[in-house]
Amino acid sequence: MDIVLFNVTTAALMVLMFKGGLALVGQNTLTARRIPWAAVALTAIALGGVALQLCWSGAMGAFDADPAKSGWWRVVTSVFMQNGGIGGAAWNIATLAVVAAFADWFWGAPLTLGLFAAGILLPEQIDKLWGQTSHSTDPRNFAGSSGATYFLGATLAAALLLHGGADQRLGRAGGEGDRAAAAKAVRIDRLLAFGVPALGLAMWFAQENGHGLVSAYGFVLGALAWAAFRTVLHPDRDLRQAPRSTVGALTGLVGRRAGKAG
């Protein structure tokens, strides 16, 4: 029962991040946005890690984060190894692809990659500051991209709280003629944003669920990143100046080729 509750709350936290990401970039704007190449690259590396595991039985032992083994690279390479079976690997890669796409559209590719790297490297260092120096002996914690993904997703929640959703920024949340609808949209966005660190910390204290703790860390770093880089961020540029290649054009091309092949 504890495992089921753990999985349910972990998934619920990711659902909050998905909804927050959609609110941040605008659900109706996705097809008009550029192809998120940073997300494509991270997803490709994650898929490459799974392919390596399938082709080489020693991949996990060589690249996981088992504290009993030496190797400075393990903290990074372990993120792209998956040890949750087929279902766990599919979930981790799918959530990484979606969260990284939202992040790429809002933060931009360089900052997205930087925040993802922070999600890999910072939590362990922050834990040391709080005296959390013991290493887990559970092999399930020796690999997987979920921690860095939840960290990155939480940065989007902070951005949603501080910057507002796409409907607010673009003036489409009900318009001046419907102030009640606009106010409701703002309240929902704030609830989504606050829900991520609140649920994350609750999960940590109640379950010692590391996904919740790294989400709290990511939320704080996201707020700092917004304060530091807000003058150079242009999350709605794609909607004002159409990019050469859009998500809608790509999906349309794939759909046409699939239709011809059928």
Side-chain angles (χ1 to χ4, degrees):
M1 184 62 183
D2 289 343
I3 294 177
V4 173
L5 183 60
F6 184 98
N7 290 335
V8 168
T9 54
T10 302
L13 181 58
M14 179 53 67
V15 170
L16 282 180
M17 292 180 180
F18 280 172
K19 289 183 175 294
L22 277 174
L24 185 64
V25 303
Q27 183 171 356
N28 297 327
T29 72
L30 300 185
T31 57
R33 292 187 177 275
R34 60 184 170 77
I35 298 171
W37 290 113
V40 172
L42 290 174
T43 305
I45 296 173
L47 288 171
V50 172
L52 181 62
Q53 289 178 255
L54 293 174
C55 297
W56 178 29
S57 61
M60 182 64 77
F63 297 117
D64 70 4
D66 185 346
K69 302 174 183 176
S70 61
W72 59 266
W73 62 86
R74 292 182 181 276
V75 66
V76 176
T77 56
S78 62
V79 172
F80 299 102
M81 298 285 105
Q82 308 296 340
N83 62 356
I86 296 176
W91 169 263
N92 282 356
I93 292 174
T95 53
L96 170 60
V98 174
V99 168
F102 289 149
D104 195 341
W105 287 324
F106 183 83
W107 294 117
L111 191 51
T112 292
L113 295 176
L115 291 171
F116 188 79
I120 297 173
L121 302 173
L122 282 184
E124 183 177 357
Q125 303 305 316
I126 298 173
D127 286 347
K128 290 179 180 178
L129 293 177
W130 291 102
Q132 301 288 333
T133 56
S134 61
H135 292 282
S136 171
T137 58
D138 187 344
R140 292 175 299 179
N141 295 327
F142 294 169
S145 58
S146 61
T149 299
Y150 277 74
F151 185 101
L152 182 61
T155 68
L156 297 174
L160 178 62
L161 177 64
L162 298 174
H163 190 48
D167 286 342
Q168 300 167 46
R169 299 194 308 273
L170 300 175
R172 293 181 299 192
E176 294 182 1
D178 194 349
R179 296 181 182 275
K184 181 179 179 181
V186 171
R187 287 196 299 270
I188 291 174
D189 287 350
R190 286 176 176 171
L191 285 173
L192 286 172
F194 276 120
V196 169
L199 178 57
L201 289 174
M203 289 163 54
W204 169 248
F205 287 115
Q207 305 171 326
E208 293 190 359
N209 189 332
H211 298 90
L213 187 59
V214 297
S215 296
Y217 294 162
F219 188 86
V220 173
L221 186 61
L224 294 175
W226 166 246
F229 298 104
R230 61 183 179 178
T231 58
V232 298
L233 295 177
H234 302 286
D236 301 317
R237 176 182 292 171
D238 291 347
L239 309 180
R240 297 187 174 96
Q241 182 179 354
R244 293 182 178 179
S245 299
T246 65
V247 173
L250 179 62
T251 54
L253 177 62
V254 171
R256 288 195 296 272
R257 289 186 176 181
K260 291 179 180 180

